[in-house]
Amino acid sequence: MLRVYIETHQEYHPDRQPRIALSIPLMVADSDAEAYAAAEPLLRSYLDVWGEAAASWDGVQSSAYPGYSNAGTTFRSLTAEDLRSTSTAVIGSAETVAEKIHELTDALSLDTLLLQIDYGSPTAAVMSRNLQMFHSEVLPRLG
């Protein structure tokens, strides 16, 4: 999908570089295991909401949006592990999160990375801890 965006942008705007932004869930904790445990129910809720929103596309065929007819089913069948393994969620210790952010930024040539801390309806305390850990433990590692 990113390749299609870049190619289309270059075709219509050959004089300008495409800008790439990515928005994904974030959970930072003292260990990978702790972050996974904290993020798991939030990611499940996040995926369920996306699945419900996309359910109106179930069975709908459109040449303009091929593949959308199964979007709801796809979101509902994804797991937190699927998001972690495909780097569509950045979950882990400060070291793991910093590594993933570097990998994503380099691999996708990102201009902007938006890290979601409010996915899945977390409590204010969970969001505060997540943001505090990111600020104090991850940002210094990003240089």
Side-chain angles (χ1 to χ4, degrees), residues 3 9-10 12 14 17-18 20 26 28 35 55 69 78 87 111 115 133 142:
R3 182 182 46 77
H9 185 279
Q10 289 172 341
Y12 289 95
Q17 287 286 64
I20 301 169
L26 166 75
V28 187
S69 64
L78 289 172
S87 295
D111 295 295
L115 297 167
M133 289 286 295
L142 296 178

Side-chain angles (χ1 to χ4, degrees), residues 87-110:
S87 295
T88 48
V90 178
I91 312 293
S93 67
E95 182 177 346
T96 298
V97 167
E99 287 173 13
K100 286 288 186 187
I101 289 172
H102 280 299
E103 289 171 11
L104 284 166
T105 302
D106 293 345
L108 301 176
S109 301
L110 295 177

Side-chain angles (χ1 to χ4, degrees), residues 7-121:
E7 289 171 0
T8 302
H9 185 279
Q10 289 172 341
E11 179 181 343
Y12 289 95
H13 307 284
D15 56 326
R16 297 192 332 231
Q17 287 286 64
R19 297 195 47 118
I20 301 169
L22 178 66
S23 178
I24 56 176
L26 166 75
M27 180 61 71
V28 187
D30 290 326
S31 69
D32 288 350
E34 183 184 337
Y36 296 167
E40 182 83 28
L42 301 173
L43 289 171
R44 181 70 269 145
S45 176
Y46 174 77
L47 290 168
D48 288 346
V49 167
W50 275 99
E52 185 178 327
S56 63
W57 278 90
D58 286 352
V60 175
Q61 300 295 318
S62 169
S63 60
Y65 299 100
Y68 272 48
S69 64
N70 296 322
T73 303
T74 300
F75 281 119
R76 288 187 300 272
S77 68
L78 289 172
T79 66
E81 171 56 29
D82 293 330
L83 294 182
R84 287 193 310 266
S85 67
T86 59
S87 295
T88 48
V90 178
I91 312 293
S93 67
E95 182 177 346
T96 298
V97 167
E99 287 173 13
K100 286 288 186 187
I101 289 172
H102 280 299
E103 289 171 11
L104 284 166
T105 302
D106 293 345
L108 301 176
S109 301
L110 295 177
D111 295 295
T112 303
L113 179 60
L114 305 168
L115 297 167
Q116 304 166 17
I117 62 167
D118 61 347
Y119 61 94
S121 301

